[in-house]
Amino acid sequence: MLNDRIRIKEVLGSDMVNHNITIMGWVRTFRNNQFIALNDGSTNNNLQVVAELGHYNEELLKRITTGAALKVKGTIIPSLGKGQKFELKAEIIEVIGDSDAEKFPLQPKKHSLEFLREIAHLRFRTNTFGSVFRIRHSLAYAIHKFFNDKGFIYLHTPIITASDAEGAGETFHVTNFDLENPSKNEDGTINYKEDFFGRPTNLTVSGQLEAELGALALSDVYTFGPTFRAENSNTARHLAEFWMIEPEMAFSDLEDDMNLAEEFIKYIIKYALDNNREDLDFLASRLLDEEKQKPQNERNEMGLIEKLEFVINNNFERITYTEAIEILKESNHNKKKKFQFLIDKWGVDLQSEHERYLVEKHFKKPVILTNYPKEIKAFYMRQNDDGKTVAAMDILAPGIGEIVGGSQREERLEKLEERMKEMNIPVKELSWYLDTRKFGTCPHAGFGLGFERLVQFVTGMTNIRDVIPFPRFPKNADF
Amino acid sequence: MLNDRIRIKEVLGSDMVNHNITIMGWVRTFRNNQFIALNDGSTNNNLQVVAELGHYNEELLKRITTGAALKVKGTIIPSLGKGQKFELKAEIIEVIGDSDAEKFPLQPKKHSLEFLREIAHLRFRTNTFGSVFRIRHSLAYAIHKFFNDKGFIYLHTPIITASDAEGAGETFHVTNFDLENPSKNEDGTINYKEDFFGRPTNLTVSGQLEAELGALALSDVYTFGPTFRAENSNTARHLAEFWMIEPEMAFSDLEDDMNLAEEFIKYIIKYALDNNREDLDFLASRLLDEEKQKPQNERNEMGLIEKLEFVINNNFERITYTEAIEILKESNHNKKKKFQFLIDKWGVDLQSEHERYLVEKHFKKPVILTNYPKEIKAFYMRQNDDGKTVAAMDILAPGIGEIVGGSQREERLEKLEERMKEMNIPVKELSWYLDTRKFGTCPHAGFGLGFERLVQFVTGMTNIRDVIPFPRFPKNADF
């Protein structure tokens, strides 16, 4: 049994002066043949290991290189250096795993995020990505805790599905066929009866419809799983594979939905502030450095921590789509034709530039937009009495745009079927979905939140590929 | 805002006598035009709603049918009936959603599990599946809590991957091609450069290799995500899509690995016993009924609760593969040729019948088998000094067989490369994996646990299709 080691987070977080302990970790830097900065991933902070001069042979000292794995036994002493309270006076240093300094791609210097993306298998060992992935963990945990404490049931909705009923976008096909030689019918079309599932299948774009089935029996459920889009979007905002959270609540309307979403976002951000302060502080200063490269007028007005605290301490602004259109139409931005897409009439879909204007210029806080025109929203959203809008809501966050999309669902069978026919949604294929409206239907509502967008918002990372361990995007499925 | 309702779990769990409250839920039964058993999915128990005779009109009473959704306002009173402490004396009853009793597939009687599998979108509304999915939720939550409290980082490893390097089984292909007309090279082969990811991709069979990348930077990580097998196994033990948990620990050996796995299993079972006792009691009595249909000698010796308590209160038996072979070879079972596959020599893979014999007949407790022959295990397992075995461990559970498979990983670059070549694992494709052995390698270990197997073990459900909301298996991808 190897594990008598103590994690560095624990060492730095408690007073262990004079304790004789063992730590293990990877060398970040080795200065003056004497000072080793050791990191074990439990915290962003390194423990300084002091190797007394003359105490260790040359051979060993040469092997203490950036990236090498060490086991160190020694005594904790108060540190004289600045920036650290304790350090470890080494008695025994053992190199567990060498690292050829000439070949190790991570040098003790600043690397570009682009370069680190190419060595995603090693970037966990940098300060930035250590912090990002510890925060990602905390946010995921906070999400489960939030819903569990509220009595929601975590539902694993299917990943492989035969329906793209939601029409949410292009899907990936899943097949067991040899693509060179799939089974074919006499007329030359694919014989899906011979495929694994006996029909065409694809990767899910959303677990919502299945979550509704759960909610109409268990009252409150949520999903947290991977979803997929086969869209050829090579941007800093899109991934082909990303994780989504989708709560669904029976006996709830649009207002309940907004209340839940706002409480939820505030809860998880507060959780990160309470549990990951060191990592957030590090990323905040990283972001500040990054911003310094930009012209003054493109910089964020708030620092990262300030922004997060602002979100948890202020009510989200709630306005209707119609009100938003009025604000945008009357804005100087619109009048001076600063928008790429000018707002001239009710009914148009809002672009990212409009959302950002509302959030960052006009209200300067997160905004919940409600009651969108039914033409630009999905078939399952509840139709409002005006005949024009649906009970939808999107939450827009500063710097990130849409972070939540939700709605009250159409629970009235006739209205739902009517809308499905209008929109060419196959009613028969979705008979199971309609059953919930036939047997004990009830008002219900839910929303979806893209997990990576949330991680971006909290960490301040500008490229979505930097907040998921191994990003999937066009022409890339490395690792 | 609709949600002034109180959940039935809360009503039944506290003393609210004389409180005037609102509840919402679905009718399970309606007796004597007077007693409504209402369920809202928060607990297996119904709240009895009493509709005073003569107080409600015929029209309304006719609509109170099994499956209908109701809103009831009334006063909590002590119950005179047996089996319940409180009931709700209704003042206002509103039918939110009707349910045509003639058409609603769930009648107030016992349905077969096979039938319920066909209406998986409605089976959440039965006692059995309500309990199963509440327990499934609790187990998932306990898993996150266990690892979070121990300082592990939750890592989302990729679902779509270009490597089936582990060779763990047949994979599903993922493609953006129109299968009728994929892009082809001049020689007629598929031109994968034109596919979405620019190469052939498939659904992951395990996140382990990527988890190792995380562990060799963050020390302790775990995955919890969907994994896939395109195997044509139409059994009660296999799914094409299932969820797996894979922890990975740096600076750890096989013993650490076993210790973690045993502590982990005990923790989550205890969590379910502490938090889902009503649901477990219900499933225990369901299982007892099911067992009564079997001949005496096929029945389990222990009830469900007894079995779970036994597991958390006893040490798992730890023996080597070699010891297990000796026990099996010398067993009366083997001598009397009761095994389908007789054990005659060292080196053979154990079949389910052997595992069950060890667990259920010989030791009568969970067993951890270690140090398997290297020929029957994966390339990444650490080679023992005997040259014959690897530092693997499987945990076998009563009634279920293998529930955990793990190992210490081969951290020595040369040994690993050598073994990969012997087993025809493409070394070049896995250069990223080998990098961890080049730069600061260290002893590390981990295991995988199939979540559905665990849910089966805890709920006593015998068919794996009954513990996941919408099971995926050959020729089936409904809902």
Side-chain angles (χ1 to χ4, degrees):
Chain A
M1 170 151 173
L2 283 161
N3 245 336
D4 57 342
R5 77 179 173 112
I6 297 178
R7 287 209 186 96
I8 288 172
K9 184 178 183 178
E10 201 183 323
V11 175
L12 296 175
S14 50
D15 186 352
M16 303 183 92
V17 168
N18 293 327
H19 284 233
N20 198 272
I21 61 165
T22 301
I23 60 162
M24 305 190 198
W26 293 272
V27 176
R28 286 288 171 87
T29 58
F30 184 33
R31 291 183 299 114
N32 304 342
N33 254 358
Q34 202 178 2
F35 302 109
I36 307 166
L38 206 68
N39 188 289
D40 67 2
S42 63
T43 154
N44 213 17
N45 297 312
N46 306 320
L47 181 62
Q48 172 151 296
V49 174
V50 185
E52 231 178 312
L53 284 173
H55 202 85
Y56 300 91
N57 67 48
E58 275 306 301
E59 208 54 50
L60 180 82
L61 293 174
K62 269 191 203 151
R63 293 173 61 203
I64 302 175
T65 53
T66 298
L70 302 191
K71 176 178 180 176
V72 184
K73 218 170 132 61
T75 305
I76 292 290
I77 54 171
S79 178
L80 299 174
K82 58 178 179 180
Q84 64 227 6
K85 277 204 301 208
F86 310 113
E87 55 192 37
L88 185 72
K89 189 160 173 269
E91 283 146 27
I92 305 169
I93 298 176
E94 185 190 330
V95 178
I96 309 175
D98 289 285
S99 173
D100 185 337
E102 304 274 303
K103 291 181 184 155
F104 187 51
L106 291 170
Q107 297 303 317
K109 62 159 197 167
K110 211 171 141 62
H111 294 287
S112 75
L113 296 175
E114 290 73 20
F115 170 73
L116 293 173
R117 227 168 278 148
E118 285 167 24
I119 51 163
H121 62 307
L122 296 174
R123 66 178 177 172
F124 297 112
R125 295 203 202 167
T126 64
N127 283 333
T128 297
F129 288 96
S131 290
V132 166
F133 290 112
R134 278 187 298 272
I135 291 170
R136 186 180 165 109
H137 161 77
S138 276
L139 295 172
Y141 185 68
I143 288 165
H144 286 297
K145 185 164 163 51
F146 175 83
F147 286 120
N148 179 72
D149 292 355
K150 279 193 168 297
F152 282 60
I153 304 292
Y154 181 26
L155 211 64
H156 288 115
T157 50
I159 311 300
I160 299 173
T161 163
S163 70
D164 172 29
E166 215 198 326
E170 279 190 75
T171 60
F172 289 104
H173 311 302
V174 175
T175 177
N176 200 24
F177 282 144
D178 176 0
L179 291 198
E180 306 274 0
N181 189 23
S183 172
K184 297 219 173 172
N185 297 310
E186 282 181 16
D187 64 359
T189 56
I190 300 284
N191 178 12
Y192 282 107
K193 286 210 172 65
E194 290 296 315
D195 205 352
F196 190 91
F197 295 106
R199 74 198 78 180
T201 50
N202 50 263
L203 292 177
T204 186
V205 294
S206 159
Q208 180 201 313
L209 302 192
E210 290 90 354
E212 285 187 54
L213 306 178
L216 273 102
L218 303 165
S219 283
D220 300 297
V221 303
Y222 72 106
T223 74
F224 188 167
T227 49
F228 306 86
R229 295 279 188 289
E231 275 157 30
N232 198 9
S233 302
N234 232 322
T235 78
R237 284 169 50 82
H238 294 90
L239 290 169
E241 172 181 317
F242 57 98
W243 287 67
M244 191 142 72
I245 297 104
E246 297 179 285
E248 191 72 32
M249 299 176 285
F251 311 116
S252 297
D253 64 11
L254 189 67
E255 194 182 341
D256 296 318
D257 204 32
M258 289 191 279
N259 291 344
L260 182 78
E262 183 167 346
E263 183 187 350
F264 170 69
I265 289 172
K266 288 176 172 172
Y267 177 93
I268 48 189
I269 291 176
K270 183 169 187 312
Y271 186 93
L273 281 167
D274 290 346
N275 290 275
N276 296 75
R277 190 56 192 243
E278 284 173 358
D279 287 320
L280 286 170
D281 283 340
F282 174 82
L283 291 175
S285 77
R286 192 205 69 83
L287 187 61
L288 209 61
D289 286 348
E290 192 181 274
E291 296 253 303
K292 281 180 191 152
Q293 314 301 317
K294 293 184 190 171
Q296 189 82 42
N297 64 341
E298 286 177 27
R299 295 182 198 169
N300 283 310
E301 284 174 30
M302 291 185 199
L304 183 62
I305 305 286
E306 210 184 345
K307 179 188 78 175
L308 298 177
E309 283 173 346
F310 182 83
V311 168
I312 60 177
N313 291 325
N314 286 278
N315 290 332
F316 294 6
E317 190 71 34
R318 300 181 183 194
I319 60 164
T320 64
Y321 166 89
T322 305
E323 288 163 342
I325 288 290
E326 279 311 306
I327 291 168
L328 290 167
K329 210 160 68 180
E330 295 306 316
S331 69
N332 279 327
H333 230 69
N334 201 48
K335 287 176 179 164
K336 289 183 180 163
K337 307 201 171 176
K338 281 191 188 165
F339 287 132
Q340 201 191 331
F341 296 90
L342 294 180
I343 296 287
D344 51 358
K345 63 171 191 293
W346 191 94
V348 295
D349 207 354
L350 298 183
Q351 303 296 319
S352 163
E353 58 177 342
H354 308 128
E355 296 177 347
R356 294 192 64 158
Y357 177 85
L358 289 169
V359 170
E360 290 162 28
K361 303 283 178 199
H362 189 85
F363 289 111
K364 294 179 187 284
K365 53 154 80 172
V367 173
I368 311 185
L369 280 186
T370 60
N371 299 315
Y372 283 80
K374 65 179 180 184
E375 279 73 20
I376 58 172
K377 287 290 179 182
F379 76 91
Y380 50 71
M381 297 192 177
R382 194 176 198 276
Q383 295 159 57
N384 288 327
D385 292 341
D386 61 13
K388 285 162 41 186
T389 61
V390 288
M393 66 110 179
D394 283 359
I395 301 187
L396 314 175
I400 215 107
E402 186 196 319
I403 194 165
V404 159
S407 73
Q408 185 171 343
R409 318 307 186 185
E410 183 54 81
E411 88 281 12
R412 296 161 296 184
L413 180 63
E414 278 177 33
K415 294 249 178 205
L416 181 59
E417 281 183 333
E418 193 183 307
R419 190 78 189 125
M420 287 171 80
K421 281 171 195 158
E422 280 170 21
M423 293 175 77
N424 293 315
I425 307 286
V427 174
K428 210 181 138 198
E429 265 183 42
L430 286 179
S431 64
W432 48 271
Y433 182 67
L434 293 169
D435 271 359
T436 52
R437 275 62 173 177
K438 281 183 191 153
F439 306 115
T441 190
C442 73
H444 60 291
F447 62 83
L449 174 138
F451 185 53
E452 283 73 20
R453 292 268 172 91
L454 176 76
V455 183
Q456 276 192 280
F457 184 74
V458 175
T459 59
M461 300 300 285
T462 46
N463 194 316
I464 199 164
R465 297 175 190 176
D466 292 334
V467 298
I468 190 166
F470 303 102
R472 290 336 189 198
F473 51 89
K475 306 301 174 206
N476 195 295
D478 287 343
F479 312 105
Chain B
M1 169 145 177
L2 283 160
N3 246 335
D4 57 343
R5 77 178 174 112
I6 297 178
R7 287 209 186 97
I8 289 172
K9 185 178 183 178
E10 201 182 323
V11 175
L12 296 175
S14 52
D15 186 353
M16 303 183 94
V17 168
N18 294 328
H19 284 232
N20 197 272
I21 62 165
T22 299
I23 60 163
M24 304 190 199
W26 293 272
V27 176
R28 286 287 171 88
T29 58
F30 183 32
R31 291 182 300 114
N32 304 343
N33 253 358
Q34 203 177 359
F35 302 109
I36 308 165
L38 205 69
N39 189 290
D40 67 1
S42 63
T43 154
N44 213 18
N45 298 312
N46 305 319
L47 180 63
Q48 172 150 296
V49 174
V50 185
E52 231 178 309
L53 283 173
H55 202 85
Y56 299 91
N57 69 48
E58 276 304 303
E59 208 54 50
L60 179 82
L61 294 174
K62 269 191 202 150
R63 291 172 63 202
I64 302 176
T65 53
T66 298
L70 302 191
K71 176 177 180 176
V72 184
K73 217 170 132 62
T75 305
I76 292 291
I77 56 172
S79 178
L80 299 173
K82 57 177 180 179
Q84 63 228 6
K85 277 204 300 208
F86 310 114
E87 56 192 37
L88 186 71
K89 188 159 172 269
E91 282 146 28
I92 303 169
I93 298 177
E94 185 190 329
V95 177
I96 309 175
D98 289 284
S99 173
D100 185 335
E102 304 274 303
K103 291 181 183 153
F104 188 51
L106 291 170
Q107 296 304 316
K109 61 159 197 169
K110 212 171 141 63
H111 294 288
S112 75
L113 295 175
E114 290 73 20
F115 170 72
L116 293 173
R117 228 168 277 147
E118 284 168 26
I119 51 163
H121 62 307
L122 296 173
R123 66 178 178 173
F124 296 112
R125 295 204 201 167
T126 64
N127 283 332
T128 297
F129 288 95
S131 290
V132 166
F133 290 112
R134 277 187 298 271
I135 292 170
R136 185 179 166 110
H137 161 77
S138 275
L139 295 172
Y141 185 68
I143 288 165
H144 286 298
K145 186 165 163 51
F146 175 83
F147 286 119
N148 180 72
D149 291 354
K150 280 194 167 294
F152 281 61
I153 303 293
Y154 180 27
L155 211 64
H156 288 115
T157 50
I159 312 299
I160 299 173
T161 163
S163 69
D164 173 29
E166 214 197 328
E170 280 189 74
T171 59
F172 289 104
H173 311 301
V174 175
T175 177
N176 200 24
F177 282 144
D178 176 0
L179 291 198
E180 305 275 0
N181 189 23
S183 172
K184 298 220 170 170
N185 298 312
E186 282 180 16
D187 64 0
T189 55
I190 301 285
N191 178 12
Y192 283 108
K193 286 211 173 64
E194 289 296 315
D195 205 353
F196 190 92
F197 295 106
R199 75 198 77 181
T201 50
N202 50 262
L203 292 177
T204 185
V205 294
S206 159
Q208 180 201 312
L209 302 192
E210 290 90 354
E212 285 186 53
L213 306 178
L216 274 104
L218 303 165
S219 283
D220 300 296
V221 303
Y222 72 107
T223 74
F224 188 169
T227 49
F228 305 85
R229 296 279 189 286
E231 274 157 32
N232 199 9
S233 303
N234 232 320
T235 79
R237 283 169 50 84
H238 294 90
L239 291 169
E241 172 181 317
F242 57 99
W243 287 67
M244 191 142 72
I245 297 104
E246 297 180 285
E248 191 72 32
M249 299 176 286
F251 311 116
S252 297
D253 63 12
L254 190 66
E255 193 182 342
D256 297 317
D257 205 32
M258 289 190 278
N259 291 344
L260 182 79
E262 183 168 345
E263 183 187 350
F264 171 68
I265 289 172
K266 288 176 172 173
Y267 177 92
I268 48 190
I269 290 176
K270 183 167 187 315
Y271 185 92
L273 281 167
D274 290 346
N275 289 276
N276 294 76
R277 190 55 193 240
E278 284 173 358
D279 287 321
L280 286 170
D281 284 339
F282 174 82
L283 292 175
S285 76
R286 193 205 70 82
L287 187 60
L288 210 60
D289 286 349
E290 192 181 274
E291 296 252 304
K292 281 181 190 151
Q293 315 300 318
K294 292 186 190 169
Q296 189 83 40
N297 65 340
E298 287 178 25
R299 295 182 198 169
N300 283 309
E301 285 174 30
M302 291 185 198
L304 182 63
I305 305 287
E306 210 185 343
K307 179 187 79 176
L308 298 177
E309 282 173 347
F310 182 83
V311 168
I312 61 176
N313 291 324
N314 286 279
N315 290 334
F316 294 5
E317 190 72 33
R318 300 181 183 195
I319 60 165
T320 65
Y321 165 89
T322 304
E323 287 163 342
I325 287 291
E326 280 310 307
I327 291 168
L328 290 167
K329 211 160 69 182
E330 297 305 317
S331 69
N332 278 327
H333 230 69
N334 201 48
K335 287 175 178 165
K336 289 184 180 164
K337 308 202 171 178
K338 281 193 188 164
F339 287 132
Q340 200 192 331
F341 296 90
L342 294 180
I343 296 289
D344 52 358
K345 63 171 192 292
W346 191 94
V348 295
D349 207 352
L350 298 183
Q351 303 297 318
S352 165
E353 58 177 343
H354 308 127
E355 296 177 347
R356 293 193 64 159
Y357 178 86
L358 289 169
V359 170
E360 290 162 27
K361 303 283 177 199
H362 190 84
F363 290 110
K364 293 178 188 285
K365 52 155 77 170
V367 173
I368 312 185
L369 280 185
T370 60
N371 299 316
Y372 283 80
K374 66 179 179 183
E375 278 74 20
I376 58 171
K377 288 289 180 184
F379 76 91
Y380 50 72
M381 297 191 177
R382 193 176 198 276
Q383 296 159 56
N384 289 327
D385 292 341
D386 62 13
K388 284 162 44 184
T389 61
V390 287
M393 66 110 178
D394 283 359
I395 302 188
L396 315 175
I400 216 107
E402 186 195 320
I403 194 166
V404 159
S407 73
Q408 185 171 342
R409 318 307 186 185
E410 183 55 80
E411 88 281 12
R412 297 162 295 185
L413 180 63
E414 278 177 34
K415 293 250 179 204
L416 180 60
E417 281 184 333
E418 192 185 308
R419 189 79 190 124
M420 288 171 81
K421 281 172 195 158
E422 278 171 21
M423 293 176 75
N424 292 316
I425 308 285
V427 174
K428 211 181 138 197
E429 264 182 43
L430 286 178
S431 64
W432 49 270
Y433 182 67
L434 293 169
D435 272 358
T436 51
R437 275 63 173 175
K438 281 183 192 153
F439 306 115
T441 190
C442 73
H444 60 291
F447 63 83
L449 174 138
F451 186 53
E452 282 73 20
R453 292 269 171 92
L454 176 76
V455 182
Q456 277 192 278
F457 184 73
V458 175
T459 59
M461 301 299 286
T462 47
N463 193 315
I464 199 164
R465 297 176 189 176
D466 292 334
V467 298
I468 189 166
F470 304 102
R472 291 327 189 208
F473 50 90
K475 306 301 173 206
N476 195 295
D478 287 343
F479 312 105

